């Protein structure tokens, strides 16, 4: 759960800080006010791509920091920084981690659903992964994907073994050319990252040497060096201790402190002496990095891909230099790989067929809560026992079918569903397992796409109900949804002097009424009738599901100003 989110120098945002409640939190505001940047910020904590374009113009660094609450009640502070050069760093409780580790950690606590995610339902290729994710078949799908990789390698090996003499000679020449280059390069794991760190040090070698030398002098060599001065301090503290035992503990710590400072002084001296500030060493590192970049462009995009390519070419070279005996061995290996794949794929297929009906029933129940009570939803599977229908996901193809109205036969969802139906079906999907993760935050960016009227009201009721089980953050333009929230934040902007100031405001009851009215009719069309209608919406919310006022909600809105 997200307790606190702070953003600094991210795109147009100079500074923003928001505290969220464990409930249904809604964020509203005019288009362009900055709502999407809050989602962008959370996306960075989820390991999203860092780009120099995200850093506010004129600043060196952008940062996003969040205080998260884990399922066991612990507080966790995560942070992502991006430099104007496009590099990023991630921290967990102050400790440096890589972006992948941050993504793994935060994705267990926060789930982000973008504006157009429901459009994925229009692509049948996404339906099988959605079924697998709901049925928690991750281990089985991983086993099938691994077995498929073996099949693919075996197919390629057989294809290489079956090349005619001319093709084999041509391919052999190309493989040997690439292998010569890769063997000469002798790429090491993680070498590019290590060299980039070395390059940064070498580029600042002069400054580093100066700092080390100055610090060492201040500690050890100069007339009034810290270690010499400290000896006088300990002498006086020892005399104090002889009179008053209160100082005995400080005297006892003396040797440890001195040892630490001695060690620091030696480290500073050795570091300065060990720095190679010569232009030749820097050029050597730059040349090596340039070589690695060329290899990554040819065989990458990552250095791991380059190393994998080297191993693959080694195997291909061995296959190309073999004869008929190798061809027979390759055919036998392919048969064996296909048999192993089919065994695990059949097990997965059986599990999928069992889960498909249950998923259909569960989605229908969720749709009923969202105003589609008489709709029918089916997950249909087609299974192939022949290699032509196999793929890395197994031997199945899945497609969702929908009958939105009684008396209709289910038809492919991608062909008949309206935008509003897609939004509600996706929301039904996303909330199926929400109750199982009460500590997780669900973020919906404009889940109201394509809906309105009564449908918007039932979506709002669903989100409100969901917010009683887990934390929900929702960006919306619909007053029916905003009125259902337990806590309401408004994001707006205004020009003050030479800059634009954006405010994130937690609204009290009166301010909520005004904001709901603005969403209904626009700022220029506010009237007593519109305000009365907004008041009615908020009162209807209280009748749907009465609940206590969100913890910590104040009578006044708490403002966090953001300069653009």
């Amino acid at each position: 759960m997200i307790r606190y989110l702070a953003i600094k120098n991210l795109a147009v945002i100079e500074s923003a800080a928001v505290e969220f409640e464990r409930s249904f939190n809604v964020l509203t505001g005019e288009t362009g006010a900055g709502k999407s940047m809050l989602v962008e910020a959370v996306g960075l904590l989820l390991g999203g791509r860092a780009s120099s374009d995200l850093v506010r113009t004129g600043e060196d660094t952008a940062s996003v920091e969040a205080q998260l609450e884990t399922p066991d009640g612990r507080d966790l502070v995560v942070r992502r920084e991006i430099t104007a050069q496009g590099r990023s760093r991630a921290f967990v409780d102050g400790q440096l981690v890589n972006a992948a580790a941050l993504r793994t950690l935060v994705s267990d606590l926060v789930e982000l659903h973008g504006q157009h995610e429901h459009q994925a339902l229009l692509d049948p290729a996404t339906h099988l992964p959605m079924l697998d994710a709901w049925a928690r078949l991750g281990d089985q799908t991983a086993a099938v994907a691994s077995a498929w990789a073996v099949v693919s390698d075996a197919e390629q090996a057989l294809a290489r073994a079956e090349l005619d003499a001319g093709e084999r000679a041509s391919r052999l020449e190309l493989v040997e050319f690439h292998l010569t280059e890769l063997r000469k390069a002798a790429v090491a794991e993680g070498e590019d990252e290590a060299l980039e760190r070395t390059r940064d040090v070498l580029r600042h070698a002069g400054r580093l040497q100066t700092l080390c030398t100055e610090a060492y002098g201040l500690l050890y060599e100069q007339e009034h060096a810290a270690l010499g001065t400290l000896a006088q301090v300990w002498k006086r503290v020892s005399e104090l201790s002889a009179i008053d035992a209160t100082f005995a503990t400080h005297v006892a710590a003396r040797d440890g402190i001195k040892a630490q400072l001695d060690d620091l002084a030696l480290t500073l001296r050795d570091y300065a002496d060990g720095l190679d500030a010569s232009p030749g060493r820097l050029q050597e590192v730059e040349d090596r990095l340039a070589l690695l970049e060329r290899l990554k462009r040819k065989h990458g995009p990552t250095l791991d891909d380059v190393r994998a390519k080297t191993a693959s070419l080694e195997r291909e070279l061995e296959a190309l230099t073999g004869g008929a005996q190798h061809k027979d061995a390759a055919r036998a290996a392919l048969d064996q790989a296909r048999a192993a794949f089919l065994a695990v794929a059949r097990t997965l297929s059986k599990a999928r067929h069992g889960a498909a009906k249950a998923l259909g029933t569960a989605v229908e129940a969720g749709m009923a809560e969202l105003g589609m009570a008489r709709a029918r939803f089916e997950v249909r599977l087609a299974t192939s026992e022949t290699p032509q229908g196999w793929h890395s996901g197994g031997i199945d193809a899945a497609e969702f079918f929908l009958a939105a109205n009684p008396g209709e036969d289910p038809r492919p969802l991608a062909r008949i569903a309206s935008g509003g139906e897609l939004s509600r079906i996706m929301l039904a999907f996303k909330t199926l397992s929400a109750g199982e993760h009460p500590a997780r935050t669900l973020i919906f960016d404009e889940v109201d796409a394509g809906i309105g009227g009564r449908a918007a009201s039932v979506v709002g009721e669903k989100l409100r109900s969901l917010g009683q089980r887990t934390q929900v953050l929702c960006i919306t333009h619909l007053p029916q949804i905003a009125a259902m929230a337990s806590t309401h934040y408004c994001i707006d902007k205004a020009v003050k002097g030479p800059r634009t100031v954006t405010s994130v405001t937690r609204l009290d009851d009166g301010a909520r009424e005004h904001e709901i009215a603005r969403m209904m009719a626009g700022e220029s069309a506010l009237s007593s009738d519109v305000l009365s209608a907004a008041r009615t919406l908020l009162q209807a919310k209280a009748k749907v599901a009465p609940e206590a006022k969100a913890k910590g909600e104040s009578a006044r809105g708490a403002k966090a100003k953001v300069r653009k």
Side-chain angles (χ1 to χ4, degrees):
M1 183 183 81
I2 301 176
R3 286 196 169 279
Y4 177 81
L5 179 68
I7 305 169
K8 187 174 182 180
N9 296 328
L10 185 67
V12 295
I13 297 180
E14 182 182 61
S15 179
V18 188
E19 292 187 49
F20 294 109
E21 299 293 343
R22 187 198 297 270
S23 60
F24 176 23
N25 302 263
V26 74
L27 298 100
T28 64
E30 296 281 5
T31 299
K35 301 184 299 298
S36 61
M37 288 315 303
L38 291 176
V39 176
E40 184 78 41
V42 175
L44 288 170
L45 295 179
L46 285 165
R49 180 176 176 272
S51 168
S52 59
D53 295 336
L54 293 173
V55 181
R56 177 176 162 85
T57 300
E59 300 294 340
D60 295 327
T61 307
S63 67
V64 181
E65 187 171 32
Q67 179 185 358
L68 306 176
E69 182 180 322
T70 64
D72 58 4
R74 294 185 300 108
D75 281 341
L76 193 69
V77 177
V78 295
R79 180 180 176 85
R80 185 90 181 268
E81 294 180 352
I82 308 169
T83 69
Q85 291 74 40
R87 296 177 183 170
S88 74
R89 296 187 300 175
F91 301 86
V92 175
D93 283 339
Q95 299 296 313
L96 185 66
V97 300
N98 58 39
L102 181 70
R103 176 172 58 251
T104 300
L105 178 65
V106 178
S107 62
D108 287 337
L109 302 173
V110 179
E111 195 171 329
L112 176 60
H113 309 297
Q115 291 185 22
H116 308 294
E117 190 173 352
H118 62 281
Q119 296 295 327
L121 290 171
L122 296 175
D123 182 6
T126 66
H127 297 176
L128 190 63
M130 291 178 74
L131 171 63
D132 292 340
W134 178 80
R136 298 182 180 177
L137 298 175
D139 291 342
Q140 293 186 54
T141 55
V144 167
S146 178
W148 177 252
V150 177
V151 171
S152 298
D153 287 346
E155 287 176 341
Q156 293 174 19
L158 179 58
R160 290 191 295 265
E162 290 178 337
L163 290 173
D164 62 30
E167 290 174 322
R168 182 180 293 109
S170 176
R171 180 62 185 172
L172 182 60
E173 181 179 357
L174 181 62
V175 168
E176 287 178 334
F177 171 78
H178 285 309
L179 265 180
T180 299
E181 180 184 39
L182 290 168
R183 285 169 174 169
K184 182 178 179 181
V187 174
E189 182 178 2
E191 183 181 358
D192 52 348
E193 295 179 356
L195 284 172
E196 286 174 356
R197 291 193 295 269
T198 301
R199 179 179 60 186
D200 289 342
V201 170
L202 292 174
R203 283 176 172 176
H204 300 88
R207 180 58 178 162
L208 290 171
Q209 283 183 326
T210 298
L211 290 172
C212 287
T213 301
E214 290 176 351
Y216 179 75
L218 291 169
L219 266 176
Y220 208 79
E221 283 189 334
Q222 294 180 9
E223 181 179 355
H224 299 293
L227 284 171
T229 303
L230 193 58
Q232 301 299 318
V233 174
W234 290 125
K235 178 180 178 181
R236 286 160 177 75
V237 173
S238 296
E239 292 180 8
L240 284 169
S241 176
I243 300 171
D244 187 345
T246 301
F247 295 91
T249 56
H250 299 288
V251 173
R254 174 182 55 191
D255 292 339
I257 294 174
K258 184 178 184 301
Q260 290 181 25
L261 292 174
D262 284 339
D263 182 62
L264 174 60
L266 291 173
T267 300
L268 290 167
R269 185 193 64 187
D270 294 343
Y271 185 88
D273 292 343
L275 276 175
D276 182 357
S278 65
R281 174 55 181 155
L282 178 58
Q283 188 60 50
E284 179 184 327
V285 171
E286 296 278 14
D287 291 345
R288 180 64 177 176
L289 280 170
L291 171 63
L292 296 181
E293 285 301 316
R294 286 197 299 272
L295 293 176
K296 285 193 286 187
R297 285 196 296 270
K298 289 175 66 175
H299 306 292
T302 69
L303 210 59
D304 287 340
D305 294 325
V306 174
R307 288 167 53 82
K309 183 67 174 181
T310 304
S312 174
L313 290 173
E314 295 281 7
R315 292 192 297 270
E316 185 174 357
L317 179 64
E318 181 182 353
L320 288 170
T321 54
Q325 182 178 2
H326 186 80
K327 187 188 299 183
D328 292 339
R331 188 173 291 110
L334 176 58
D335 291 341
Q336 183 178 1
R338 283 176 172 171
F341 168 79
L342 193 56
V344 292
R346 282 172 174 164
T347 301
L348 174 59
S349 180
K350 183 178 179 180
R352 283 170 171 163
H353 278 82
K357 185 174 182 180
L359 177 58
T361 301
V363 172
E364 283 182 2
M367 290 163 58
E369 295 178 357
L370 292 167
M372 299 176 68
R374 304 182 71 181
R376 292 163 56 202
F377 183 89
E378 295 180 7
V379 182
R380 296 186 181 179
L381 291 171
T383 301
S384 173
E385 289 287 326
T386 60
Q388 290 74 20
W390 298 353
H391 51 87
S392 60
I395 58 177
D396 302 307
E399 186 166 6
F400 298 154
F401 279 66
L402 174 71
N405 301 299
E408 297 180 357
D409 291 331
R411 299 179 184 275
L413 175 70
R415 280 193 264 160
I416 67 166
S418 67
E421 288 166 346
L422 287 175
S423 293
R424 282 179 281 174
I425 292 169
M426 180 59 80
L427 180 58
F429 259 103
K430 296 304 183 182
T431 57
L432 283 177
S433 59
E436 301 173 11
H437 305 283
R440 175 175 287 183
T441 296
L442 298 180
I443 302 177
F444 297 99
D445 184 9
E446 299 192 16
V447 71
D448 49 32
I451 63 175
R454 173 57 187 161
S457 296
V458 296
V459 168
E461 292 169 9
K462 179 66 174 178
L463 291 171
R464 180 179 177 82
S465 174
L466 189 60
Q468 294 172 349
R469 290 179 282 155
T470 189
Q471 185 185 57
V472 175
L473 273 58
C474 178
I475 293 174
T476 184
H477 288 285
L478 292 182
Q480 298 97 318
I481 292 178
M484 287 292 171
S486 302
T487 313
H488 191 155
Y489 301 88
C490 180
I491 303 175
D492 56 20
K493 62 181 180 180
V495 177
K496 294 186 178 180
R499 307 302 300 265
T500 299
V501 177
T502 294
S503 299
V504 182
T505 307
R506 181 171 176 164
L507 304 181
D508 60 17
D509 291 342
R512 284 194 74 180
E513 187 177 299
H514 184 277
E515 174 64 6
I516 297 293
R518 182 202 62 78
M519 296 173 72
M520 295 171 69
E523 192 71 41
S524 61
L526 289 181
S527 66
S528 59
D529 289 340
V530 176
L531 289 169
S532 177
R535 190 178 310 116
T536 300
L537 266 184
L538 291 168
Q539 290 170 349
K541 172 206 70 170
K543 294 178 182 178
V544 169
E547 66 176 12
K549 182 166 288 200
K551 178 182 177 182
E553 187 169 349
S554 63
R556 300 178 181 175
K559 269 190 180 179
K561 289 189 177 179
V562 186
R563 294 192 177 272
K564 291 185 178 177

